[in-house]
Amino acid sequence: MTLQIKNIEQYHEAYHRSVENPEGFWAEIASTFVWDRKWDKVVHHDFITPDIRWFEGGKLNITVNCLDRHIETKGDQIAIIWEANEANEPSKKLTYKQLLAEVNKCANALKAQGVKKGDRICFYMPMIQEVAIAMLACARIGAIHSVVFAGFSANALADRIKDAECKMVICSDYNRRGPKSIAVKDVVDEAIALGCDSVEKVLVYKSTGDKVKWNAAIDLWWHETVDTMSDQCEPEIMDAEDMLFILYTSGSTGKPKGVVHTCGGYMVYTEYSFKNVFQYQDGDVYWCTADVGWITGHSYILYGPLLAGATTMMFEGVPGHPDAGRFWHVCEKHRVNQFYTAPTAIRALMAAGWHEPEKYDLSSLKVIGSVGEPINEEAWHWYDEKVGRGRAPIVDTWWQTETGGILITPLPGITDAKPCFASYPLPGVQPVLLDPNGIELVGNNVEGLLCIKYPWPSMLRTTYGDHERCRTTYFAAFKNYYFTGDGAKRDEEGRYRIIGRVDDVINVSGHRIGTAEVEDAINQHSGVVESAVVGYPHDIKGQGIYAYVKAHHEVVDPEHMRKEILAVVTKHIGPIAKPDKIQFVLQLPKTRSGKIMRRILRKIAEGETGQLGDISTLLNPECVEELKTGALV
Ligand code: WT7
């Protein structure tokens, strides 16, 4: 539902209404969907256990709301436009009617393979239409999708398959990304060989047609399995709180955890936020450049837009292929009205050609968005001038895998866009800033830890298979608050500016990476005793990965060892987690209790060697000089 608000006063009114009577506010929005049974209770709020339930007692199927309900009025409207990796290859389009038929065929194929409600299905797919079809097919029959970004390694994929005990993997033969072709099916084979015993079948879409190894006992071709099926499939009726999907994300400690989202609340919130943040109007063409392997792809390529009956675009390629004008070319070609991308892409394109966007007709753009990491002033202004042309407002949207949807954002044409400010919470969202003791900072012009004090429909419910981890990670730091892990400022008019993570999570090109995970990977190298990883400012990536490595023996050939370490990280996580800089050290700075003092390492990595602060509590203060002067490879 689009809120009928036109200016900041009306925004404040709507916001106050949503806080005074959240149940009434959300019930009104939820009533615009198709439910098989209406809910008994709007929200159950317990941030201690935690136990959060929305629209309990309600029954629905999200695909009915994404597809069936639009058929009568929009059956022949384009649901998904697909733009290929190669600029000269024709785009593909699916209408709502065609998409529903494809989803049903795939759903029937999954059923025929024994997939049932509640089964977990892992995806390792490029950006092709079939990933959308198959995700919706899972939702149609109540199976739970767990999409893994196809840039992760076989080890990382295997960890995720095992954690969720997935019954099936859906992949393609190859994945084209810019000039590269990645052997996706090989990675899946390798992952399965690492002991993924739960996997009964691998469904393979022939995308490039290049040769793949075949294991007839478990491999199935999509065209042989799906295409012959009936295009009618009754949706499985789900409880509002049944799981819709799992999506793995990194935290400060341990392996990535499976964030769980459920059917009812996620549906209500993704549509609501999509419509209001992008001010989508019937007939518009909307394009989000994210990969479906991240939450942005789930909520704002697939579910949000389709729930809203929008035309959503999927792009197979990468921003710089064949050149730095590709994004703008695609915007011109499809007359894109809303464009949503990440600061890292903006910075890379800005560096590749300051005036490049001027060559294209971008007059169709009405709203341009940014997501995933803080956007710096220079990039904000370039985006505003060269892409938005001062006409299409920027929405700098703050949210997380765990929040399911955008929580803090300017509203285009309604609230103003102040450079680098995510601005105001969407009505229905109650952020607060806390001091380190958990005391709420009241008033404006304050800085603190960003928490949320009231549930919103698309918040995570648990971390898969480990509820205690969900509690300790998000709800134990401050009693009765959801802790985001971010620090933020509130300006004199109540706008939020996100500063960044305050925990051991780094944001590299908008990809969230846990420093502990990278350390674990580096430590797999037999020559490494221990390592410590921190983030440092990087012009294009936002943050880069800086690794301090202590080796068993003197490193005689640092360049060789560096290459080996990069290979180990690529093997255990994937190329996105490769350190940008490595410094070999004789010692890591430690406290008397044996903890690595990361504060010092961060300062040195940032080049602030003059301001290391108090080092008197170090067990080995003598190592600081060596750290400061150490060589980098
Ligand atoms: C972290 C969440 C949200 C979908 C993509 C990332 C950072 C996200 C912004 C923004 C500053 C941002 C935060 C957050 N972040 N959006 N507009 N301004 N920082 O999802 O991988 O779960 O990462 O990304 O640090 O905690 P994610």
Side-chain angles (χ1 to χ4, degrees), residues 249-250 294-296 340 343 370-375 395-403 405-406 408 420 422 484-487 497-502 505 507 510-513:
T249 192
S250 298
W294 312 113
I295 190 70
T296 312
Y340 192 28
S370 170
V371 61
E373 45 176 322
I375 181 166
V395 289
D396 177 0
T397 62
W398 174 86
W399 58 298
Q400 310 177 297
T401 305
E402 295 85 344
T403 70
I406 296 165
I408 306 184
C420 310
T484 65
D486 281 319
R497 177 179 188 148
I498 310 301
I499 299 164
R501 303 289 307 195
V502 294
V505 168
N507 196 325
H511 299 151
R512 192 165 143 181
I513 294 173

Side-chain angles (χ1 to χ4, degrees), residues 10 63 74 85 118 141 166 198 205 222 251 265 294 299 362 381 479 540 552 557 572:
Q10 292 176 354
T63 69
K74 295 182 172 169
N85 183 55
I141 62 170
C166 294
S198 59
Y205 181 78
W222 176 292
W294 312 113
S299 302
L362 300 180
H381 286 293
K479 191 173 170 193
I540 304 287
H552 279 293
D557 185 351
H572 285 276

Side-chain angles (χ1 to χ4, degrees), residues 70-71 88 90 127 132 166 254 256 284 331 366 425 439 556 582 607 624 631:
H70 301 314
I71 295 302
N88 54 8
M127 287 293 287
C166 294
D284 285 350
C331 284
K366 296 195 280 190
I439 309 295
V556 281
I582 297 178
V624 171

Side-chain angles (χ1 to χ4, degrees), residues 139-177:
R140 187 89 177 163
I141 62 170
I144 298 161
H145 54 73
S146 167
V147 182
V148 177
F149 174 61
F152 280 116
S153 69
N155 288 62
L157 174 61
D159 285 346
R160 288 158 175 78
I161 293 174
K162 287 180 199 167
D163 188 70
E165 295 175 289
C166 294
K167 191 168 184 173
M168 184 187 267
V169 180
I170 304 183
C171 68
S172 61
D173 48 1
Y174 286 79
N175 176 6
R176 303 183 298 174
R177 280 179 72 76

